């Protein structure tokens, strides 16, 4: 068992490293091929006029005129040393920005992730237990509707209702404006987190709910569920004794594999709520041609999604032996 | 028969049909069990014999009240003289009436044996379980195993234990012998014989007809969802002349040791049943009356038969 898990871990790590390399190469090529001119952008952000002479010096200093392969290797070498370069718009090392923003994003994503997992799982169980009854039909419709609504639209709707009309939640940022960051309380941070997290989780729970529903229905149609009924177990007892046991791990696995969607959704949610996380950083970097920041975030998000998938794979590894032995 | 008063289970005119939708529009009723009668007394094994599709397994679900929602049940069911209402069925499931399932597919693959045999009721019958395991020669350690880790023989005894851990008076055993070697099947049936000898009623649903009449007290023959004959098991040993219904006789002739003469034609499918006697299309003695008016169950020589001419 342990050996199996270690093997899964190693193969996944190797896959992750090669994927990271591939992603870095592809994004590097894309940036090279794009009309973005980092030098022009840099000069523009200096706010002063620059002579062609000075521009040539900057280009020389940055190594813009070297062949792309050499540039890539240089960049990769620096990345491996932990230097992601300096952000053109924030004027700070990319690693710092990412580090700080990632914490914000992580708080947002984790709370949305837990929320969507809990809501989705609970709703899925209820729908499965009441299959094809009114309750199930209504919840299913809600799930379909929610999963077809765009995140930013839902975010705007929430902003309008909860922060503009009702005034329950602030309309943006991760802490109150005009308060020094040392003085921001945890509660204030949470208060700012609720609306974006809710938006993000509403977007993703329907997937897990529908999946859990289907799994539970499968389980309830299995012979062992039929036998449990024959022994006098009611709906909820059946769920407690056999349902949860048999659907929990697949649901968890799915939830970990959803990191990619979570990240994609957070980009939109953070922009709607002006939440200072990676998502808003990445769109700012894209709009302002901040190449080092863009590449840095790309790498980090790849890593993030890969880790999610790796956890999912390891979980499969735990479930798998039992399933395989049963079918033997 | 003064026994009759305290029949454990009495089923009269049971019919089960399933609602089904054709192309999403037309509603159709599939009749799978019609006018079925069965009585079980304490201390006896009643074998229910019939080929697959004769409604045997549905009967067990109907007695327990766990048919799917689209099933419609008609007729009278009594347990110890009391009408089996859904409420009563719920009370009796797993307490007074227990099912012995046919294979370990009926055990939760992710739940350990001990917990599984104990069931969901509290307090946990741990002592009873230990005693049962000891009685069946099962090592106590298997309580920590998962179903897939059991050998075939152990699994069978575990399945029986799930029923005996309750103080059930009526045991429904659904196809307990298929896939077993003769020795294993004999061992399994011997277990049920012992259970019956302790005063419980056992309904043995099976298509191993020859094994069934070795161990059963009475045999009920099912055909297309109804009982065509109920006879003392000894009649089956005596041979076709002791039997009453043309189908029972045909079954007897189809047994390997009696020449293996299969009966021509097919059992009619639910949804496509003959109008009167369900056996008429295959019956060599069928007359006009058989095709227009359904025969009722009647007593003949200490058994019951659903045929105008059976004697
Ligand atoms: S009632 Fe008629 S058709 Fe039916 S079994 Fe008897 S003889 Fe055959």
């Amino acid at each position: 068992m342990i050996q199996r898990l270690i093997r899964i871990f190693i193969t996944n790590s190797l896959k992750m490293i090669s994927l990271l390399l591939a992603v870095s190469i592809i994004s590097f090529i894309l940036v090279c091929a794009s009309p973005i001119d980092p030098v022009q952008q840099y000069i523009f952000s200096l706010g002063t006029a620059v002579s062609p002479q000075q521009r040539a010096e900057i280009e020389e200093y940055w190594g813009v005129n070297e062949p792309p392969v050499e540039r890539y290797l240089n960049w990769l070498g620096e990345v491996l040393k932990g230097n992601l370069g300096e952000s053109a718009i924030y004027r700070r090392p990319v690693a710092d920005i990412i580090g700080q923003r990632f914490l914000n994003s992580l708080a947002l994503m984790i709370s949305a992730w837990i929320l969507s997992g809990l809501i989705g799982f609970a709703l899925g169980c209820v729908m499965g237990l009441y299959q094809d009854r009114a309750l199930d039909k209504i919840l299913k419709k809600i799930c379909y509707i929610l999963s077809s609504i765009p995140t930013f639209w839902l975010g705007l709707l929430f902003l309008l209702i909860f922060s503009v009309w009702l005034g329950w939640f602030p309309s943006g940022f991760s802490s109150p404006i005009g308060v020094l960051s040392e003085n921001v309380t945890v509660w204030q941070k949470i208060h700012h987190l609720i609306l974006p997290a809710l938006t993000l989780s509403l977007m993703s729970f329907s997937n897990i709910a529908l999946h859990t529903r289907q799994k539970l229905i499968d389980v309830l149609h299995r012979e062992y569920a039929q036998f449990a009924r024959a022994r006098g177990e009611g709906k909820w007892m059946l769920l407690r004794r056999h349902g949860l046991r048999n659907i929990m791990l697949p649901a968890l696995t799915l939830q970990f594999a959803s990191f990619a969607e979570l990240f994609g959704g957070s980009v939109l949610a953070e922009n709607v709520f002006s939440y200072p996380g990676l998502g808003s950083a990445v769109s700012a970097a894209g709009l302002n041609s901040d190449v080092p920041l863009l590449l840095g975030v790309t790498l980090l998000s790849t890593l993030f999604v890969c880790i999610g998938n790796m956890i999912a794979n390891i979980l499969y590894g735990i479930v798998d032996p039992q399933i395989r032995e049963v079918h033997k | 028969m003064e026994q009759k008063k305290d029949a454990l289970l009495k089923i009269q005119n049971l019919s089960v049909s399933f609602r089904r939708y054709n192309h999403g529009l037309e509603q159709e009723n599939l009749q799978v069990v019609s006018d079925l009668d069965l009585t079980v007394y304490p201390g006896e094994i009643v074998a229910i014999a019939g080929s697959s599709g004769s409604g045997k397994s549905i009967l067990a679900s109907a007695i327990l009240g766990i048919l799917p929602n689209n099933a419609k049940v008609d007729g009278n069911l009594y347990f110890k003289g009391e009408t089996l209402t859904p409420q009563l069925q719920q009370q009796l499931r797993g307490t007074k009436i227990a099912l012995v399932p046919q294979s370990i597919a009926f055990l939760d693959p992710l739940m350990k044996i001990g917990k599984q045999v104990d069931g969901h009721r509290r307090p946990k019958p741990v002592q009873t379980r230990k005693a049962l395991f000891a009685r069946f020669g099962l090592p106590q350690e298997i309580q920590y195993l998962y179903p897939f880790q059991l050998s075939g023989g152990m699994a069978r005894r575990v399945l029986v234990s799930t029923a005996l851990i309750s103080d059930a008076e009526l045991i429904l055993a659904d196809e307990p012998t298929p896939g077993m070697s003769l020795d294993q099947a004999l061992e399994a049936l011997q277990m049920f014989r012992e259970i019956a000898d302790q005063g419980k009623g056992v309904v043995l649903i099976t298509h191993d007809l020859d094994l069934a009449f070795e161990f059963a007290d009475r045999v009920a023959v099912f055909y297309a969802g109804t009982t065509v004959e109920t006879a003392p098991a000894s009649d089956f040993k005596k041979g076709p002349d002791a039997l009453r219904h043309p189908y029972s006789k045909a079954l007897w002739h189809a047994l390997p040791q009696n020449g293996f003469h299969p009966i021509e034609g097919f059992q009619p499918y639910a949804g496509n049943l003959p109008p009167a006697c369900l056996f008429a299309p295959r019956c060599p003695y069928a007359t006009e009356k058989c095709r227009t008016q359904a025969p009722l169950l009647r007593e003949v020589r200490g058994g019951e038969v659903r045929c105008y001419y059976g004697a």
Side-chain angles (χ1 to χ4, degrees), chain A residues 176-194:
Chain A
I177 300 163
V179 179
L180 285 178
S181 55
E182 301 92 273
N183 299 337
V184 177
T185 61
V186 175
W187 162 240
Q188 281 170 324
K189 288 208 166 196
I190 292 177
H191 195 205
H192 280 77
L193 191 67
I194 292 178

Side-chain angles (χ1 to χ4, degrees), chain A:
Chain A
M1 182 79 177
I2 299 292
Q3 267 179 338
R4 261 179 61 83
L5 292 184
I6 292 174
R7 214 172 50 233
I8 296 176
F9 182 77
I10 291 174
T11 48
N12 273 285
S13 306
L14 289 178
K15 268 190 219 159
M16 188 154 82
I17 291 168
S18 43
L19 191 69
L20 279 171
L21 272 178
V23 166
S24 70
I25 293 174
I26 292 171
S27 23
F28 204 86
I29 293 173
L30 284 177
V31 168
C32 284
S34 76
I36 293 177
D37 181 350
V39 179
Q40 184 57 46
Q41 202 60 38
Y42 177 73
I43 293 166
F44 181 71
S45 68
L46 284 178
T48 51
V50 177
S51 72
Q53 174 74 34
Q54 282 170 307
R55 186 186 164 110
E57 275 170 23
I58 294 171
E59 284 184 5
E60 182 64 28
Y61 173 69
W62 278 12
V64 175
N65 298 321
E66 287 165 26
V69 177
E70 209 162 297
R71 264 168 29 207
Y72 173 72
L73 290 178
N74 279 341
W75 175 75
L76 190 67
E78 289 299 312
V79 169
L80 289 181
K81 276 187 251 162
N83 176 13
L84 288 164
E86 183 167 312
S87 157
I89 43 175
Y90 296 101
R91 302 272 153 179
R92 279 175 28 221
V94 168
D96 282 4
I97 299 173
I98 289 184
Q100 178 207 2
R101 297 233 160 190
F102 184 60
L103 281 185
N104 283 338
S105 280
L106 205 63
L108 172 64
M109 286 192 283
I110 294 223
S111 38
W113 186 75
I114 293 174
L115 210 60
S116 74
L118 291 180
I119 301 177
F121 192 74
L123 279 187
C125 288
V126 172
M127 288 195 285
L129 283 186
Y130 291 90
Q131 187 198 354
D132 294 336
R133 307 258 283 275
L135 186 62
D136 173 41
K137 285 181 182 164
I138 294 170
L139 289 175
K140 210 161 68 179
K141 292 237 162 61
I142 294 178
C143 281
Y144 285 141
I145 292 173
L146 278 178
S147 57
S148 45
I149 292 179
T151 314
F152 67 91
W153 189 84
L154 190 75
L156 288 176
L157 194 73
F158 274 18
L159 265 184
L160 202 64
I161 297 174
F162 294 107
S163 84
V164 179
W165 289 350
L166 297 172
W168 289 355
F169 297 103
S171 65
F173 307 108
S174 68
S175 50
I177 300 163
V179 179
L180 285 178
S181 55
E182 301 92 273
N183 299 337
V184 177
T185 61
V186 175
W187 162 240
Q188 281 170 324
K189 288 208 166 196
I190 292 177
H191 195 205
H192 280 77
L193 191 67
I194 292 178
L195 217 44
L198 205 63
T199 310
L200 197 53
S201 54
L202 277 185
M203 296 319 300
S204 45
F205 85 79
S206 51
N207 188 24
I208 185 105
L210 290 171
H211 182 268
T212 304
R213 170 185 185 273
Q214 196 47 50
K215 265 274 166 211
L216 184 61
I217 290 175
D218 286 350
V219 166
L220 294 180
H221 281 91
R222 299 291 288 275
E223 286 102 337
Y224 58 81
Q226 182 72 4
F227 179 49
R229 265 182 226 113
R231 296 182 82 190
E233 293 186 27
K235 253 192 181 56
W236 294 98
M237 182 60 84
L238 208 61
L239 177 71
R240 217 179 79 199
R241 270 172 69 89
H242 306 287
L244 293 183
R245 188 182 300 267
N246 283 283
I247 61 177
M248 192 66 112
L249 274 171
L252 258 181
T253 312
L254 182 80
Q255 184 69 352
F256 275 104
S258 73
F259 271 21
E261 288 143 58
L262 194 67
F263 201 89
S266 78
V267 174
L268 294 165
E270 288 182 9
N271 276 301
V272 172
F273 292 97
S274 326
Y275 188 86
L278 275 185
S280 50
V282 78
S283 48
L287 291 173
N288 298 303
S289 315
D290 189 341
V291 176
L293 185 56
L294 201 55
L295 287 178
V297 176
T298 309
L299 282 189
L300 185 81
S301 51
T302 312
L303 190 69
F304 181 72
V305 171
C306 280
I307 288 177
N309 283 341
M310 177 149 85
I311 298 176
N313 281 334
I314 290 176
L315 280 179
Y316 260 133
I318 297 173
V319 200
D320 210 25
Q322 291 165 342
I323 291 172
R324 267 194 330 198
E325 299 239 33
V326 170
H327 287 279
K328 211 158 54 184

